[in-house]
Amino acid sequence: MSEVRHNWTKEEILNIYNKPLMELLYDAATIHRLHHDPNTVQVSTLLSIKTGGCSEDCGYCPQAARYHTSVEGNDLMSVQQVKAQALRAKSTGSSRVCMGAAWRNVKDGPEFDQVLEMVRTINKLDMEVCCTLGMVTENQAKRLAEAGLYAYNHNLDSSEEYYKEVISTRGFEDRLETIDNVRKTNVTVCSGGIIGMGEKLEDRAGMLVALSTLNPQPESVPINALVAVEGTPLEDEEPVSIWEMIRMVATTRIVMPETQVRLSAGRTQMSQEGQAMCFFAGANSIFAGDKLLTTPNPDVNEDMKLFGLLGVNPQKPFTKKVQPQTVEAADSKYEALGEKPKWTRPEHSIERNEQKKQEAKDIRKQEKQIKDLVSETESVKK
Ligand code: SF4
């Protein structure tokens, strides 16, 4: 029951997911106790170091430039800003900082050099450092590892079949290739997905097949419930029920016994009791901070109150793996190669929210007319 298997089939996973709930919970909680301390939960802080304006078309994401959401973009944060936020996160119980940039892929150059410096800085604060920067080459993964990166996040999002219904600007195989590139280093892999995007149960099982058959399995698997953001193609999706979330967490725990299963986006829609059941079902990691990149998240004080109620302690950094060493930029073995890999651009297309796009255009036009009128009036007054 507790062995790590890499040959799970979709049918087996569906059978687990659809078990009577009490049996499912019992099995998941039993496996959880064999591999983890049930009273410890990892706390990660997700920082958006470069927000918005992304060229990709992930249908759930308000940061995609094409979707006209209310997200305001900003340039890459400075190393000092990131250090200040990391120190704040550490003081409120986070052991890990995950830095997210709204990029299709990493490009060698000054911005990537700046991210490498952020990795060095946070590792020196004795916190686990994770990055989610889009697709990376092997050389870029090695440079991140050398800087002291602990984990790289690259979600599979859904099953291979459903992936193309949600994203058209890159292929599922690109995701796998990036994970493979990260695996050529000592950096751990964080990869999970989102439920509630209109997928079938078979797709949830398909995603778990894709993740659990990786060898080794990802050290960390975030399970997100879609936060349907106005202006994105998935804005009208119904919220995921807590029961679906509990089933998904429990099934993930059973098929990936050693992995840290993270309750990620969608926690604001969950009650304390619902979150407690997810912890019982095997979730042992959360994202902290009032924002998850751009979507809302519970306040860290609320999380700590819940931990107190449940007798749960935040996990210490480097509990699962030793802290990586940081090599300074001047001593680096790897140079920027300026590679331009041919990531795929599949031909299929997904439904865009043309109505919202038009509404946003109309609003911008009206705003411009008002601005012009105001400046005309002011110049007449003068
Ligand atoms: S999920 Fe990432 S890659 Fe996709 S649109 Fe959002 S920021 Fe870009």
Side-chain angles (χ1 to χ4, degrees):
M1 196 179 184
S2 69
E3 63 175 329
V4 178
R5 282 179 49 194
H6 300 279
N7 58 353
W8 288 100
T9 66
K10 210 189 271 188
E11 292 65 37
E12 284 177 304
I13 292 177
L14 277 173
N15 284 340
I16 294 172
Y17 186 99
N18 289 318
K19 269 186 181 191
L21 190 68
M22 297 308 147
E23 259 184 70
L24 175 60
L25 280 175
Y26 181 82
D27 289 351
T30 306
I31 289 179
H32 188 51
R33 272 149 187 74
L34 289 171
H35 294 269
H36 306 271
D37 173 357
N39 300 317
T40 300
V41 170
Q42 184 208 34
V43 183
S44 291
T45 290
L46 184 53
L47 267 186
S48 184
I49 57 169
K50 190 267 163 196
T51 309
C54 183
S55 61
E56 300 298 275
D57 70 350
C58 309
Y60 50 80
C61 183
Q63 300 200 67
R66 63 192 77 197
Y67 294 146
H68 311 280
T69 61
S70 57
V71 167
E72 282 179 24
N74 62 267
D75 295 337
L76 188 63
M77 282 167 74
S78 70
V79 177
Q80 282 316 313
Q81 282 172 316
V82 167
K83 183 177 179 182
Q85 301 243 24
L87 283 169
R88 197 169 311 138
K90 190 176 181 180
S91 71
T92 52
S94 283
S95 58
R96 180 181 290 196
V97 172
C98 181
M99 298 186 283
W103 290 333
R104 169 176 165 81
N105 58 284
V106 170
K107 291 186 187 123
D108 291 334
E111 290 204 321
F112 184 42
D113 293 343
Q114 195 166 316
V115 173
L116 292 171
E117 207 42 49
M118 292 172 191
V119 173
R120 291 187 189 97
T121 304
I122 301 174
N123 192 40
K124 286 179 203 160
L125 300 177
D126 296 328
M127 298 183 81
E128 296 174 10
V129 197
C130 175
C131 280
T132 180
L133 312 169
M135 295 172 285
V136 287
T137 64
E138 184 181 337
N139 188 61
Q140 290 163 342
K142 285 180 173 161
R143 294 179 73 202
L144 284 162
E146 203 191 36
L149 191 74
Y150 186 89
Y152 194 83
N153 166 270
H154 203 59
N155 289 335
L156 292 187
D157 290 338
S158 191
S159 67
E160 182 165 8
E161 296 74 29
Y162 199 68
Y163 186 86
K164 60 181 183 298
E165 304 298 326
V166 183
I167 298 153
S168 79
T169 47
R170 56 171 190 267
F172 196 76
E173 60 275 28
D174 293 323
R175 309 301 275 177
L176 295 173
E177 195 179 327
T178 285
I179 291 173
D180 202 40
N181 287 337
V182 174
R183 276 291 178 221
K184 290 172 184 152
T185 70
N186 277 334
V187 174
T188 61
V189 168
C190 171
S191 184
I194 308 172
I195 63 171
M197 299 192 292
E199 75 285 346
K200 298 193 191 91
L201 289 188
E202 284 74 12
D203 295 306
R204 294 179 191 175
M207 179 180 85
L208 292 181
V209 169
L211 290 168
S212 63
T213 52
L214 292 172
N215 193 359
Q217 292 178 344
E219 284 80 356
S220 165
V221 171
I223 301 293
N224 296 275
L226 176 74
V227 177
V229 178
E230 204 181 333
T232 62
L234 299 181
E235 64 177 351
D236 294 325
E237 289 299 330
E238 290 293 317
V240 162
S241 81
I242 186 65
W243 305 111
E244 291 175 275
M245 200 62 187
I246 293 167
R247 283 186 180 279
M248 191 65 189
V249 166
T251 310
T252 307
R253 165 55 62 231
I254 291 169
V255 301
M256 289 180 269
E258 291 181 347
T259 292
Q260 296 228 234
V261 179
R262 181 171 305 125
L263 281 187
S264 303
R267 262 197 322 124
T268 46
Q269 295 152 19
M270 292 181 205
S271 65
Q272 288 192 324
E273 294 85 349
Q275 291 184 60
M277 279 189 92
C278 287
F279 293 141
F280 185 70
N284 59 349
S285 176
I286 57 166
F287 270 133
D290 57 357
K291 278 254 167 90
L292 274 195
L293 297 178
T294 59
T295 54
N297 196 49
D299 183 86
V300 69
N301 295 325
E302 292 302 311
D303 287 333
M304 290 308 129
K305 266 192 220 158
L306 178 60
F307 278 22
L309 270 176
L310 303 177
V312 159
N313 298 308
Q315 183 176 295
K316 295 203 164 37
F318 313 110
T319 303
K320 303 279 178 184
K321 193 168 180 263
V322 293
Q323 181 171 11
Q325 300 251 310
T326 281
V327 175
E328 297 301 333
D331 304 322
S332 173
K333 274 200 302 191
Y334 304 101
E335 56 184 66
L337 298 178
E339 300 158 284
K340 293 207 170 94
K342 287 216 173 344
W343 305 107
T344 59
R345 280 200 183 267
E347 289 301 309
H348 49 255
S349 66
I350 59 172
E351 198 183 318
R352 307 261 151 66
N353 194 330
E354 291 304 330
Q355 192 196 332
K356 284 282 165 206
K357 195 168 163 184
Q358 193 52 49
E359 279 172 16
K361 263 190 191 167
D362 292 345
I363 290 170
R364 276 203 303 273
K365 202 169 151 192
Q366 281 170 11
E367 283 172 351
K368 186 170 178 305
Q369 282 169 347
I370 293 168
K371 225 168 143 188
D372 290 349
L373 205 67
V374 170
S375 65
E376 256 178 50
T377 319
E378 279 174 357
S379 60
V380 169
K381 274 190 201 161
K382 281 178 197 162

